[in-house]
């Protein structure tokens, strides 16, 4: 076994998985008119391993043909930097849309490696061996993975035990000699329609009373009882002229329902050890927010490039207010890049030498990106102009009655005709105003944790003792 081809990946997801889209069950996700775009997008990961330009970055050579770098368990800060560079490169090829069929799953696998040993030491369980076996299965077969973490939650002011019904958090409903039976639902599960395996993690800290909700496991997506209800958001057919970024790119999001799903013990990584639920949840987030800020880099680069392009076409590149907006956008983007790189450089290893990015710097990067994202959109839209949402369609340029008139009247500076300028506008509109732009904007706030969650982690991760001691020293206060 080893690296798969794009076609082998596509063939592997033609199975009996249960997927619903707009109320109808999907017979084949690889041929469905909307979901097949997500399949094509995910195949980028396999294409990069075959491309000489990216192969050295995308593939780790450790015997045989090697394996996907995403599966490289970080053993140094250099491993973290290369992982970030691969995520950035893949997202850039994906026209600002992250691929995510390897990134998110390996984020979970790294966290499970780090935490399961601690659980084994306290409870004499066998979780680390199971995690290692599953990891090797995924790595050696070059599998695509997704992660289901966020429970539907119900009443957000109440914990798992105090909900209107007991299944608002995914839970164990039966323990058998050969495994467990789980019931519940997870939301915001990315890529689930078009991966091979699904990793399920706890979403929060759990009390002893919540122990049936403290579970982690992995199953094939086509396991009986797993029902995927795919979100139709952004699923309307688009032309490449109108939506040059998203016409052929898609990431599917699902509500993932576990309708009394059986999980064999070898695929169970936590089953009631409630005091480690938070450690697994936060361990995953520690890696996944680093993934997040890495895949945001092409997006902020695209915002700068869009602003530069439209300023030039509109003939306002030398205007003082445009210069000020460009300086702001460049500072915004390059601060994010510097923090992302520093999160890797500051990374540290655990007792087993598994490195994780620095939690403080990672959360600072994510908070910086999310907190200022909508202001960045404002600057780009201001420079571009109102035709982002009022321009003509491709059919109007093809019509002999209107085409030449539109090319004349919608032009910009000398040398830029109306069709060229409209194409540029449509790209910026796709990025900032339409459903693809809206998807990015909501992800900026909610994906990989909310602004409040990031602020909380910054507060927790910052060691205030050094600066407090320094202030006392300056004030002449003796300890």
């Amino acid at each position: 076994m080893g690296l798969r081809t794009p076609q082998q990946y596509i063939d592997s997801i033609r199975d009996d998985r249960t997927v619903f889209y707009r109320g109808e069950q999907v017979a084949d996700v690889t041929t469905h008119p909307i979901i097949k775009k997500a399949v094509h997008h995910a195949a980028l990961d396999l294409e990069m391993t075959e491309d000489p330009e990216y192969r050295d970055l995308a593939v780790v050579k450790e015997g045989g043909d090697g394996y996907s770098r995403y599966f490289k368990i970080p053993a140094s800060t250099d491993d973290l930097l290369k992982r970030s560079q691969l995520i950035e490169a893949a997202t850039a090829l994906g026209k600002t849309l992250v691929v995510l069929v390897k990134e998110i799953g390996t984020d979970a696998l790294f966290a499970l490696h780090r935490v399961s040993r601690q659980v084994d030491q306290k409870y004499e369980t066998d979780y680390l061996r199971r995690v290692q076996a599953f990891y090797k299965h995924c790595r050696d077969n070059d599998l695509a993975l997704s992660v289901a973490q966020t429970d539907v939650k119900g009443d957000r002011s109440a914990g798992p035990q105090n909900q209107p019904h007991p299944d608002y958090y995914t839970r164990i409903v039966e323990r058998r000699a050969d495994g467990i039976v789980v019931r519940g639902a997870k939301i915001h599960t990315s890529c689930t329609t078009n991966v091979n395996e699904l990793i399920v993690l706890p979403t929060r800290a759990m009390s002893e009373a919540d122990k049936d909700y403290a579970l982690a496991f992995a199953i094939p997506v086509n396991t009986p009882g797993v029902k995927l209800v795919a979100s139709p958001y952004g699923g309307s057919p688009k032309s490449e002229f109108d939506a040059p970024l998203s016409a052929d790119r898609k990431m599917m999001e699902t509500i993932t329902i576990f309708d009394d799903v059986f999980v064999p013990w070898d695929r169970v990584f936590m089953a009631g050890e409630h005091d480690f639920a938070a450690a697994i949840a936060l361990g995953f987030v520690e890696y996944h927010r680093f993934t997040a800020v890495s895949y945001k880099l092409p997006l902020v680069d695209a915002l700068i490039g869009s602003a530069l392009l439209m300023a030039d076409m509109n003939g306002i590149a030398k205007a003082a207010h445009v210069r000020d907006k460009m300086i702001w956008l460049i500072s915004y983007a390059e601060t994010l890049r510097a923090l992302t790189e520093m999160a890797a450089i500051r990374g540290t290893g655990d007792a087993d030498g598994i490195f994780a990015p620095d939690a403080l710097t990672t959360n600072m990067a994510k908070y910086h990106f999310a907190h200022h994202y909508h202001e960045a959109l404002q600057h780009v839209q201001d420079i571009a102009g109102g035709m982002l949402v009022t321009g003509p369609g491709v059919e109007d340029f093809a019509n002999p009655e209107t085409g030449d008139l539109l090319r004349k009247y919608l032009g910009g500076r000398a040398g830029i005709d109306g069709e060229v300028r409209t194409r540029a506008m449509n790209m910026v509109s796709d990025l900032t105003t339409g459903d693809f732009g809206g998807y990015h904007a909501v992800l900026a706030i909610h994906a990989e944790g909310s602004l409040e969650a990031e602020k909380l982690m910054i507060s927790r991760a910052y060691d205030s003792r050094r600066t407090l001691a320094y202030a006392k020293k300056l004030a002449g206060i003796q300890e």
Side-chain angles (χ1 to χ4, degrees):
M1 306 301 288
L3 294 166
R4 295 191 293 180
T5 66
Q7 189 59 51
Q8 286 173 326
Y9 155 69
I10 293 169
D11 291 342
S12 76
I13 57 175
R14 289 191 178 109
D15 54 26
D16 55 350
R17 62 190 60 203
T18 304
V19 179
F20 296 91
Y21 186 85
R22 289 194 177 276
E24 295 186 0
Q25 189 164 348
V26 177
D28 184 347
V29 296
T30 69
T31 59
H32 186 271
I34 301 302
I35 302 176
K36 71 179 181 182
K37 295 180 182 180
V39 175
H40 166 71
H41 179 69
L44 267 177
D45 179 56
L46 295 306
E47 293 167 10
M48 290 181 73
T49 65
E50 298 180 339
D51 188 333
E53 183 177 352
Y54 299 105
R55 186 174 176 84
D56 287 345
L57 180 61
V59 178
V60 173
K61 302 289 183 63
E62 289 181 355
D65 293 329
Y67 60 87
S68 169
R69 180 173 297 279
Y70 288 119
F71 287 105
K72 177 71 169 71
I73 297 176
S76 66
T77 57
D78 187 60
D79 284 343
L80 293 172
L81 283 168
K82 283 188 170 64
R83 180 177 175 85
S84 178
Q85 290 161 7
L86 176 58
I87 294 167
E88 180 182 358
T91 308
L93 285 174
K95 300 181 180 179
T96 73
L97 183 64
V98 64
V99 180
L100 210 63
V101 295
K102 297 279 182 68
E103 297 94 321
I104 191 170
T106 52
D107 286 336
L109 286 171
F110 300 158
L112 286 166
H113 270 87
R114 286 166 65 96
V115 178
S116 59
R117 182 183 294 278
Q118 301 170 38
V119 183
D120 287 350
Q121 289 172 346
K122 180 172 181 178
Y123 289 103
E124 298 184 351
T125 45
D126 188 33
Y127 293 140
L128 180 58
R129 181 196 63 79
R130 299 177 193 176
V131 168
Q132 290 171 332
F134 178 67
Y135 160 79
K136 189 173 186 299
H137 168 69
C138 295
R139 182 197 67 190
D140 293 351
N141 291 283
D142 202 25
L143 298 184
L145 315 169
S146 61
V147 173
Q149 182 180 38
T150 305
D151 289 285
V152 291
K153 293 190 177 80
D155 182 349
R156 271 66 172 166
S157 68
Q161 281 287 334
N162 300 310
Q163 295 292 330
H165 68 68
D167 300 329
Y168 271 140
Y169 285 76
T170 304
R171 66 188 178 110
I172 301 170
V173 295
E174 183 183 357
R175 294 172 182 262
R176 297 172 12 185
D178 53 350
I180 59 175
V181 177
V182 301
R183 183 187 304 158
K186 299 279 189 175
I187 200 167
H188 317 313
T189 351
S190 301
C191 307
T192 334
T193 58
N194 53 284
V195 297
N196 304 112
E197 295 276 354
L198 174 64
I199 301 172
V200 178
L201 300 177
T203 195
R204 57 173 290 169
M206 302 283 182
S207 67
E208 186 173 2
D210 301 325
K211 64 181 181 180
D212 285 340
Y213 299 90
L215 75 160
F217 60 90
I219 49 175
V221 173
N222 66 336
T223 299
V226 175
K227 299 176 181 178
L228 308 176
V229 181
S231 170
Y233 185 84
S236 301
K238 305 169 184 176
S239 73
E240 189 175 355
F241 181 88
D242 294 329
L245 303 182
S246 61
D248 64 346
R249 299 286 160 186
K250 188 82 178 75
M251 181 184 293
M252 298 304 301
E253 309 283 353
T254 69
I255 298 172
T256 304
I257 299 170
F258 304 95
D259 191 12
D260 288 3
V261 173
F262 172 72
V263 185
W265 281 117
D266 273 355
R267 291 297 196 93
V268 177
F269 312 133
M270 170 181 279
E273 294 79 14
H274 64 90
D275 46 336
F276 286 96
I280 288 184
L282 293 175
F284 166 65
V285 166
E286 193 171 23
Y287 285 103
H288 194 47
R289 286 188 185 152
F290 180 68
T291 289
V293 292
S294 298
Y295 78 68
K296 302 303 184 187
L297 295 174
L299 178 57
V300 294
D301 282 350
L303 293 176
I304 294 174
S306 295
L308 288 168
L309 179 63
M310 296 316 307
D312 174 57
M313 287 191 171
N314 291 342
I316 56 173
K318 295 182 179 180
H321 76 92
V322 172
R323 181 198 58 209
D324 289 346
K325 291 178 176 68
M326 292 308 312
I327 290 170
W328 187 97
L329 286 165
I330 292 166
S331 298
Y332 168 64
E334 289 305 301
T335 298
L336 177 64
R337 186 176 302 280
L339 287 169
T340 301
E341 291 174 357
M342 188 54 66
I345 292 168
R346 285 182 167 184
T348 55
D350 65 1
D352 296 314
I354 301 176
F355 270 63
D358 177 62
L360 173 63
T361 321
T362 299
N363 280 275
M364 287 171 59
K366 180 63 169 62
Y367 181 79
H368 167 76
F369 165 78
H371 185 67
H372 298 292
Y373 185 73
H374 289 78
E375 186 176 355
L377 295 185
Q378 174 187 323
H379 291 321
V380 174
Q381 291 169 355
D382 188 22
I383 290 170
M387 209 173 80
L388 291 172
V389 294
T390 64
V394 64
E395 301 84 356
D396 298 306
F397 285 102
N399 187 329
E401 291 290 324
T402 56
D404 287 342
L405 292 170
L406 291 172
R407 291 183 188 93
K408 173 182 177 181
Y409 288 117
L410 295 182
R413 65 159 176 80
I416 303 296
D417 74 18
E419 184 171 353
V420 170
R421 184 164 170 264
T422 300
R423 284 184 178 276
M425 282 283 186
N426 286 349
M427 183 277 291
V428 181
S429 179
D430 201 13
L431 185 67
T432 70
T433 72
D435 50 32
F436 186 65
Y439 181 75
H440 274 313
V442 173
L443 259 61
I445 301 299
H446 289 290
E448 302 91 27
S450 67
L451 286 163
E452 291 305 313
E454 288 140 20
K455 286 160 63 177
L456 180 62
M457 284 302 299
I458 291 170
S459 176
R460 286 177 175 175
Y462 182 70
D463 184 356
S464 61
R465 291 171 297 180
R466 177 182 62 85
T467 49
L468 178 60
Y470 182 52
K472 288 181 176 179
K473 182 178 179 180
L474 292 174
I477 300 172
Q478 299 296 320
E479 293 288 346

